[in-house]
Amino acid sequence: MFGRDAEVDHLRDLLRSPLVRLVSLTGRGGVGKTRLAVEFAAIMVDLGVPTTVVALAGVSAADHVLGEIAPALGVTSVANADISDTVVAYLSDDDHLLVLDNFEHLLEAAPVLGELLDRCPGLRILVTTQAPLHLRSERVVAVAPFPIPSPGEDLAVLAEEPAVATYAERASAVDRHFELSAENAPAVVELCRRLEGLPLAIELAAARAVTLPAAEILRRLDDSGLDLLQRTRADAPERHHELRAAIAWTYERLSPSQQRQLRRISVFSGTFDIDAAIALDHVGGNDDSSLQVLDQLTTLVDFHLVDPIADTDPIRFVIPSSIRAFAAAELEASGEADEVRLRHRTFRACQARRVADVDGIASGTDEGLVHRLEADHDDINAVLLGALDAEAGVVALDVVGGLAVVWDARGYHRAQEVLLERALALGARQGADAARMVGALVASAELGLRHRSDLESEALVARLQQAEVLARANNDDDQLLRVLSAWMLVAPSTGDVGRAALAIGEGLQLAARPANDHWLRHIQVWAGMFAHLIGDDPRAVELGTAALDAARRHGDRATIVRAAMLLEPLRDRHPEQLAQVPSNAETLELARSVGMPFYEALLLPRLVGDTARTGDLEASARWAVDTLNMSRSMPGSTIVGFHLMALALFASARGDHDRVAHFHGVIRSRLPELERMLAADQMERFTSAVETSLAEIGTSAFDTEADLGAERSWAEGVQVALSYVQATITSVTTPDPPAAQLGTDSGAEKLTVRQLEVVRLLAHGLSNKEVAAQLKITPKSVMHHTTAIYQAIGVRGRSEATAWAFRTGVVG
């Protein structure tokens, strides 16, 4: 019963309430529902509550349920009496807790329980079931897998984590020499992560500890999969002897159409939405309606075979890895695997192509496409790998065209560059059409020049030249405008001002044609950004305001974001002309609503600097936390350098000059690269902060701290910066905001004062150990609080809880 104290307390509170008489403990097979229910029943017996536990796993039909309950209660049959009347007569007078274990295969008997509750006023029922009973009186309590332990925690803290404690307890039971240690703890933690905190899977893995310690199981898990997780136990039901059997028990509860749905969605490598599920369902002449597909998916969620992801719009789903492995094997056995994979690949390629399509992006239609592609990145990346291996050149080019948009925001790394190179080579070898080749060549040049690349800049420029030749030969204005835009965007990296100026002139002229007017406001923005970069502010204002006005007329919110980013820094020098330009905070909200993570990442450091300059250091710190959390999702991106520059401005405003020196050191080697991408006034603010700190602490101290910073990678610098900001935040110790500010439906009202304190500290990146120290409680108490918090607000872990805290106002 590791880590279930919060659930036991929650059950006790529920079943004490006169308004709650039926509680269903739901969760996937092996999550520990039975163990929790039996433990709770024992506690109720100790408290003097008459309690009966009825095991229903062996009951084969719904109409036999009462026949199993009666003998468990000690009720003997009465001649000519209905068994329900006999059970009711026994239960009608006194309080009684009835615990019914394993009800998922008997859901048709749910009305019988409703009738018992209606006729027995003192009766309360606790049911364990993988799926809800869907009775009006039912209160559902989902039993989640154990929280995933965080790597790097102290050994004493890890030993208190439920997942690790479960493994250690079971491993020591079969191997008397086992002891959790600094040497084996990382492997145990990683194994618990790979097994998704599922108690049954962890216990089955630990049962092999004598011959297969955690590190060895990890090495074999990919090859052996579910077959590795099996161990016979005389005191466990047969389906709990192996993880595959536990999943099969649930699978057999599904209808054929529901089984088919689960098999097909197993091809998704990451998360997916309803549209994706519908696309895969229409295979092999299947004509299920969208509503039918949704109903099937709802049942899979009910049985915890698919998990909805909280607060995603549109709602997204994920299949636990062990369920996916089981369903993938069933897909292979079904004979439809090839057709489903082809449909999957085609669907994802079309999705990426719509994002890569220059006309679609330029016209600003369907702004949610990029946001959805970002959410689907992992699955689409897997499709790209499959297309490259299958030498499907057209699919590969379509996919990289869309993924390039995501890579630009997340960070462009060697792995992505290799994939793009393979797609380009495959497309060229197979004679792909000009439009696809232009898109891929431009993507390669832009990404390589704007981010760090293993290719020489001359080779990347040559690709842009090749794309221009193809576009002109193909006589396609959209393709040519895409290339001309690229010449403007890469000018800070190439330093080729003359080529950019020529591209601006031709681009503005070409976009002014009636057939291309959807391009005009976009070319105006790029041209305005270039003008600001070279110091021609009047021209930047002229182009930027024209683009902003046109974007507002056309409802083109993406271009409003870009134009506002261009114009906002110029507002102080041109107040009358730019009075209607949105603030950086307003633009950030718009960028988030449209789904523009690249621009969100650029706006956040501006807000850090803006609030630091006005002296609002608390707001600056909050923006800094947002900024650095985003930095962690895009390691290696040049944008992270801008984030660290903003942290230097924050440190300067606080008078922490050693921190300014440190952050300067982290980015020092790539400062010329960053400077080329900043307007003069933006670079001046950073330079001024550095010079002030140098004067304040002296050359020797400044250089010493800067040299320490230079030894860090950008990822390490981000972590140092996050710890620094967290230490400055005062808002986490301020009084709780009134409930009205949090919103009555935010979920915050479900948390205690202490839980609110815990979730605030978690949201600011503190570890369990740091939270415990801050609140002067034990790490185990923090663990129990986090389990209760995740359950109360409906999230699966720390990152989702952090997002919830900021979104609902629990953290300002």
Side-chain angles (χ1 to χ4, degrees), residues 778-799:
T778 66
K780 185 174 182 179
S781 295
V782 175
M783 178 190 69
H784 290 159
H785 283 308
T786 56
T787 300
I789 289 165
Y790 298 161
Q791 184 179 45
I793 64 178
V795 302
R796 299 190 306 160
R798 181 183 293 252
S799 60

Side-chain angles (χ1 to χ4, degrees), residues 161-205:
E161 291 281 359
V164 175
T166 297
Y167 180 90
E169 192 272 337
R170 296 310 307 150
S172 62
V174 298
D175 179 7
R176 64 187 179 86
H177 299 295
F178 177 84
E179 184 176 343
L180 190 69
S181 65
E183 289 71 32
N184 62 30
V188 172
V189 168
E190 177 60 17
L191 180 60
C192 291
R193 186 192 68 79
R194 289 283 300 277
L195 299 179
E196 300 173 315
L198 187 69
L200 176 62
I202 293 170
E203 289 188 11
L204 291 171

Side-chain angles (χ1 to χ4, degrees), residues 447-745:
L447 289 169
L449 289 167
R450 294 169 64 186
H451 303 268
R452 302 193 84 179
S453 171
D454 284 353
L455 298 177
E456 295 292 333
S457 60
E458 291 80 4
L460 295 168
V461 169
R463 286 189 176 170
L464 204 48
Q465 292 168 338
Q466 182 185 353
E468 184 174 348
V469 169
L470 280 173
R472 292 187 188 279
N474 204 38
N475 197 29
D476 188 310
D477 285 357
D478 276 327
Q479 293 174 26
L480 182 55
L481 282 162
R482 179 75 179 87
V483 175
L484 295 174
S485 296
W487 283 119
M488 303 174 211
L489 290 169
V490 302
S493 302
T494 64
D496 193 343
V497 175
R499 185 66 193 83
L502 289 173
I504 289 170
E506 184 179 3
L508 289 172
Q509 186 176 14
L510 189 60
R513 294 178 182 176
N516 300 330
D517 60 356
H518 57 280
W519 268 102
L520 183 58
R521 55 190 179 275
H522 299 273
I523 298 293
Q524 287 171 333
V525 168
W526 308 140
M529 288 181 176
F530 177 78
H532 182 46
L533 196 65
I534 63 174
D536 188 355
D537 286 355
R539 180 65 170 157
V541 170
E542 175 192 350
L543 290 165
T545 52
L548 182 61
D549 291 343
R552 283 172 168 162
R553 287 196 305 272
H554 288 86
D556 181 357
R557 299 191 296 164
T559 301
I560 293 174
V561 169
R562 299 185 183 104
M565 287 189 63
L566 161 64
L567 297 172
E568 203 281 336
L570 301 171
R571 189 203 303 266
D572 290 344
R573 293 195 294 276
H574 304 273
E576 293 183 2
Q577 291 174 269
L578 304 181
Q580 301 304 313
V581 174
S583 67
N584 281 327
E586 292 169 328
T587 305
L588 175 66
E589 289 303 310
L590 186 58
R592 285 172 168 169
S593 69
V594 173
M596 301 175 70
F598 179 80
Y599 291 92
E600 180 182 351
L602 290 172
L603 282 159
L604 282 168
R606 286 192 183 185
L607 287 160
V608 174
D610 290 348
T611 46
R613 281 196 304 276
T614 61
D616 189 351
L617 296 180
E618 187 173 337
S620 186
R622 291 198 301 269
W623 288 122
V625 169
D626 277 2
T627 301
L628 295 167
N629 280 330
M630 194 160 200
S631 298
R632 294 196 293 185
S633 71
M634 47 195 308
S637 170
T638 305
I639 297 173
V640 176
F642 300 146
H643 293 178
L644 290 169
M645 291 175 80
L647 262 293
L649 296 178
F650 171 72
S652 177
R654 284 181 50 84
D656 296 334
H657 301 294
D658 58 330
R659 296 292 84 191
V660 175
H662 194 93
F663 298 139
H664 175 266
V666 175
I667 62 175
R668 186 170 60 190
S669 64
R670 292 177 63 181
L671 201 53
E673 172 189 347
L674 297 172
E675 186 173 2
R676 286 196 303 270
M677 300 181 184
L678 290 174
D681 54 345
Q682 294 170 311
M683 192 64 201
E684 284 171 8
R685 284 194 287 272
F686 175 74
T687 302
S688 175
V690 170
E691 291 174 348
T692 298
S693 296
L694 181 62
E696 287 288 337
I697 63 176
T699 302
S700 177
F702 186 94
D703 289 347
T704 298
E705 195 62 45
D707 288 344
L708 289 173
E711 295 175 2
R712 299 188 186 278
S713 67
W714 277 18
E716 292 169 336
V718 166
Q719 192 55 49
V720 168
L722 193 55
S723 297
Y724 163 68
V725 174
Q726 286 162 353
T728 71
I729 289 175
T730 59
S731 60
V732 295
T733 58
T734 57
D736 298 333
Q741 292 182 20
L742 296 178
T744 55
D745 59 350

